[in-house]
Amino acid sequence: MKNKFTLKLSVYLIPVLLTMMIASCKKDHNVKIAEPGKYENGFFVVNEGWFGHGTGTVSFFDYSKGTLTDSIFTKENPGKTLDPATSSLEFGTVYNHKLYLLSKAGGPLVVTDDLSLKEIGRIAAATSNDWRAFVGIDNNTGLVSTGDGIYPLNLQNVTLGGKIGGVDGEVGDLIKAGNYIFALSQSNGVVVLNATTYAVVKTIPGLEVAFARSKDGAIWAAGGTQLVRIDPATLVVQVITVPFTVNGSWGAWHPGSITASTTENAIFLAKNGPYNGGTQVYKYTAANAASFTTPFVTVPTGKEMYGAGLAYNEKLNQLVVSTVKSGYGTNYSVNDLYFYDPSSGAQSKDISYTGYYFPATFVFH
């Protein structure tokens, strides 16, 4: 009887199990695996553009191809531009999978998808615009620095709110850490804001180049003959003496020529001139008392950094440096993108290209 019962049960169960397996397979076939974004496997170079002759552009360095492709924003957005030609595209950053592009001197603030570069919002160009930098606060709000103070930005509809009190004049780089927002002010150095109320809680004068976030979470800035480490929880400041003058870029602002490693507590700082880019990068670590004795990287003879000039690429653990040919005029059309080992300072690659791009900064996913 037991065998007959088992046989009968099997007759009924097997079709049911087969049906369930087929249905499961069909469901599996309907699962779609997200394809890599067109601009996912690489990083962006934000270019100022040749003032008065054309707008800024966005280039893309492809890791797999080892090539640099220019003007990807206009290629992906036919009919849309970063005009006017008298503006300078100076800043870019990725926040919540969106690329924010900001122009000085009347240009637009543009938001795109960071993988496709398709535009999803903008504040149109206007003579009153004078953008500097952007930092995200949460899913709905960001802050934008300008030639006159800081403003909240609604991230859902890309609209500007009223000016934040307590911070006037030109403001450049921004970074958020914990409960605070750090802003670089031309008149007051580093201004620390409460991240919720935007009230000013501290100022650190004398600083002109910012910001970097080291592996331990500390925030770094520099100016004059000092490099400072700011504890983002207590706001305690540690000052390290630098044996040369750290110059800012307020006369023709660009993002700060300072960056940090994520594999060690190391800060990379460019030694720029007061009116031009430098040729040397120094690497500071607390463990190395001779950090500023000799430069960590010296770019090839006849070249000088332009714009921010350097950035740390966390994905590939590389120090990336952009240069133009030293001098003026047609020299600005001679560009190089150098890649250095952040541990040894050895150069691993050089991408040479021509054109009046005037590279401002790098943007990584």
Side-chain angles (χ1 to χ4, degrees):
M1 289 293 293
K2 184 176 180 181
N3 289 338
K4 288 183 179 180
F5 176 77
T6 302
L7 182 60
K8 288 182 179 180
L9 187 61
S10 298
V11 170
Y12 289 106
L13 281 178
I14 289 174
V16 173
L17 291 172
L18 285 172
T19 302
M20 291 174 65
M21 289 173 64
I22 292 170
S24 176
C25 289
K26 285 183 177 179
K27 288 180 181 178
D28 288 343
H29 283 301
N30 289 332
V31 174
K32 294 183 179 180
I33 299 175
E35 295 182 2
K38 186 174 182 179
Y39 298 106
E40 183 173 1
N41 191 38
F43 63 83
F44 305 106
V45 182
V46 173
N47 305 298
E48 292 178 358
W50 189 5
F51 183 81
H53 294 77
T55 67
T57 61
V58 181
S59 301
F60 180 73
F61 180 79
D62 189 301
Y63 293 140
S64 59
K65 297 178 182 177
T67 57
L68 194 66
T69 303
D70 180 42
S71 301
I72 58 173
F73 172 79
T74 50
K75 289 175 182 176
E76 298 297 341
N77 297 278
K80 295 187 177 182
T81 73
L82 299 172
D83 285 343
T86 51
S87 65
S88 297
L89 180 60
E90 205 69 52
F91 181 86
T93 191
V94 170
Y95 181 70
N96 280 354
H97 302 295
K98 295 177 182 177
L99 174 63
Y100 290 81
L101 299 170
L102 284 74
S103 295
K104 298 188 303 185
L109 184 159
V110 175
V111 186
T112 78
D113 179 88
D114 72 322
L115 301 184
S116 69
L117 264 288
K118 299 295 184 183
E119 182 177 320
I120 54 181
R122 75 163 55 202
I123 296 177
T127 55
S128 57
N129 292 353
D130 198 13
W131 314 115
R132 293 295 184 270
F134 165 88
V135 65
I137 304 302
D138 54 36
N139 290 335
N140 298 308
T141 307
L143 293 183
V144 176
S145 60
T146 73
D148 184 22
I150 302 173
Y151 295 78
L153 180 71
N154 184 312
L155 304 187
Q156 300 305 314
N157 54 25
V158 194
T159 56
L160 213 60
K163 182 180 175 182
I164 291 173
V167 186
D168 296 310
E170 186 174 6
V171 180
D173 301 81
L174 301 168
I175 193 169
K176 181 179 183 293
N179 297 320
Y180 300 105
I181 298 154
F182 300 81
L184 185 65
S185 161
Q186 181 180 19
S187 56
N188 296 309
V190 170
V191 179
V192 185
L193 307 176
N194 180 293
T196 302
T197 66
Y198 304 146
V200 176
V201 297
K202 186 168 187 169
T203 58
I204 309 169
L207 301 176
E208 297 193 0
V209 176
F211 289 102
R213 190 196 316 265
S214 52
K215 182 183 177 183
D216 60 5
I219 302 301
W220 296 76
T225 56
Q226 59 182 357
L227 171 68
V228 302
R229 178 188 185 276
I230 310 168
D231 187 305
T234 64
L235 301 184
V236 170
V237 175
Q238 175 190 358
V239 178
I240 297 97
T241 300
V242 179
F244 56 82
T245 300
V246 180
N247 294 295
S249 61
W250 291 117
W253 182 84
H254 59 68
S257 301
I258 185 171
T259 190
S261 170
T262 58
T263 61
E264 59 176 326
N265 283 313
I267 303 300
F268 301 94
L269 178 66
K271 182 183 178 182
N272 288 336
Y275 305 108
N276 62 293
T279 61
Q280 299 173 335
V281 177
Y282 286 80
K283 177 182 179 180
Y284 171 79
T285 62
N288 181 11
S291 291
F292 291 113
T293 301
T294 56
F296 180 68
V297 164
T298 299
V299 299
T301 302
K303 304 296 177 68
E304 64 183 50
M305 287 176 278
Y306 190 89
L310 79 165
Y312 175 77
N313 184 349
E314 178 180 357
K315 186 171 183 178
L316 298 185
N317 187 31
Q318 290 179 328
L319 185 65
V320 187
V321 173
S322 59
T323 69
V324 294
K325 186 176 180 180
S326 299
Y328 301 93
T330 57
N331 288 11
Y332 285 119
S333 68
V334 181
N335 307 273
D336 283 270
L337 194 59
Y338 294 104
F339 299 80
Y340 294 94
D341 185 308
S343 297
S344 67
Q347 181 186 318
S348 59
K349 185 182 295 185
D350 169 21
I351 304 295
S352 298
Y353 58 105
T354 59
Y356 293 97
Y357 295 99
F358 300 90
T361 192
F362 303 97
V363 181
F364 303 96
H365 291 286

